[in-house]
Amino acid sequence: GENVEQHPSTLSVQEGDSAVIKCTYSDSASNYFPWYKQELGKGPQLIIDIRSNVGEKKDQRIAVTLNKTAKHFSLHITETQPEDSAVYFCAASLSGGYQKVTFGIGTKLQVIP
Amino acid sequence: DARVTQTPRHKVTEMGQEVTMRCQPILGHNTVFWYRQTMMQGLELLAYFRNRAPLDDSGMPKDRFSAEMPDATLATLKIQPSEPRDSAVYFCASGTGATDTQYFGPGTRLTVL
């Protein structure tokens, strides 16, 4: 089955700096890579995703990159704000809506004002 | 604003007792996932359903856990008998199958003493 490794497990940055979270996956058949943000006391929420036919995707201050050859993908947050503080999960699956999604262990991001 | 709802939000019980957690998926969603979240294991998929039929429950300890969808608006996860190692946050998520996005509920925090 798929295995997703994520690092770092914790990350502290100063407000305004950038944050980068990296993930690797094991199953070369995986073609869908979502990122979820979990705020304290809430369920995870999708913030951005990327499919294997795209190398990079951007949405305002967040961007994801994908290297299929190396089987790794990353989340980049620029100009971090205190409200970015949360736990971020990467995940991998086959696309199709009914597929099993494998999550990374999570990265706790703290943005220091 | 359509949301996944879960009840109860918190549950404290004693070892050996039966626990039932309920989930109401977003109206119109036909895929339901059950996850367990712990600090050590992160988000683990327990089981998931498509159109109320179980697709995969390989992540679930069969001897004590059971998951069902009595109708399209209700999914249940039952633990009998409960054990202290079952203490975790249990999330339900739903999706349409037409997209890959999973919408998570707020979770049920279970403590087994």
Side-chain angles (χ1 to χ4, degrees):
Chain A
E2 176 65 275
N3 182 49
V4 177
E5 295 190 357
Q6 180 174 350
H7 59 94
S9 56
T10 60
L11 180 60
S12 290
V13 299
Q14 291 290 329
E15 182 177 357
D17 287 350
S18 295
V20 180
I21 302 170
K22 298 182 178 182
C23 291
T24 61
Y25 61 99
S26 62
D27 188 351
S28 56
S30 291
N31 58 3
Y32 175 65
F33 306 93
W35 287 87
Y36 284 79
K37 175 183 180 182
Q38 185 178 24
E39 297 176 341
L40 197 62
K42 297 183 179 180
Q45 182 178 12
L46 179 73
I47 55 171
I48 195 168
D49 56 17
I50 191 168
R51 300 180 190 277
S52 60
N53 59 346
V54 175
E56 184 174 358
K57 184 176 179 180
K58 195 172 182 180
D59 182 4
Q60 299 183 334
R61 295 185 298 107
I62 59 174
V64 291
T65 58
L66 171 65
N67 183 326
K68 285 188 298 182
T69 303
K71 289 191 279 189
H72 62 70
F73 55 115
S74 301
L75 176 71
H76 305 252
I77 306 174
T78 59
E79 301 172 19
T80 53
Q81 300 169 4
E83 52 265 38
D84 295 330
S85 296
V87 178
Y88 292 81
F89 293 93
C90 62
S93 78
L94 292 171
S95 180
Y98 302 121
Q99 302 297 332
K100 180 177 179 177
V101 175
T102 302
F103 285 85
I105 197 70
T107 296
K108 185 175 182 180
L109 173 64
Q110 181 183 21
V111 179
I112 304 166
Chain B
D1 185 22
R3 298 183 183 187
V4 175
T5 58
Q6 290 187 247
T7 56
R9 292 295 312 277
H10 303 273
K11 176 73 176 179
V12 180
T13 190
E14 294 190 347
M15 182 173 63
Q17 296 298 304
E18 178 178 298
V19 175
T20 299
M21 291 169 270
R22 294 176 175 81
C23 166
Q24 182 172 13
I26 293 172
L27 189 65
H29 283 193
N30 62 351
T31 313
V32 173
F33 302 81
W34 281 106
Y35 291 92
R36 175 170 62 186
Q37 183 176 39
T38 61
M39 288 295 293
M40 294 301 296
Q41 300 297 327
L43 273 168
E44 301 174 275
L45 179 66
L46 297 175
Y48 69 109
F49 295 77
R50 172 185 172 183
N51 294 329
R52 297 176 55 200
L55 280 187
D56 187 340
D57 62 0
S58 59
M60 208 162 62
K62 302 288 195 309
D63 56 338
R64 299 184 301 108
F65 284 59
S66 61
E68 296 179 344
M69 281 201 73
D71 61 60
T73 64
L74 177 65
T76 62
L77 180 66
K78 191 174 294 186
I79 308 175
Q80 167 64 19
S82 57
E83 297 180 2
R85 58 179 168 155
D86 300 329
S87 297
V89 181
Y90 291 80
F91 287 103
C92 170
S94 71
T96 66
T99 72
D100 296 297
T101 305
Q102 295 186 20
Y103 297 84
F104 282 76
T108 294
R109 180 174 294 276
L110 174 66
T111 303
V112 183
L113 302 174

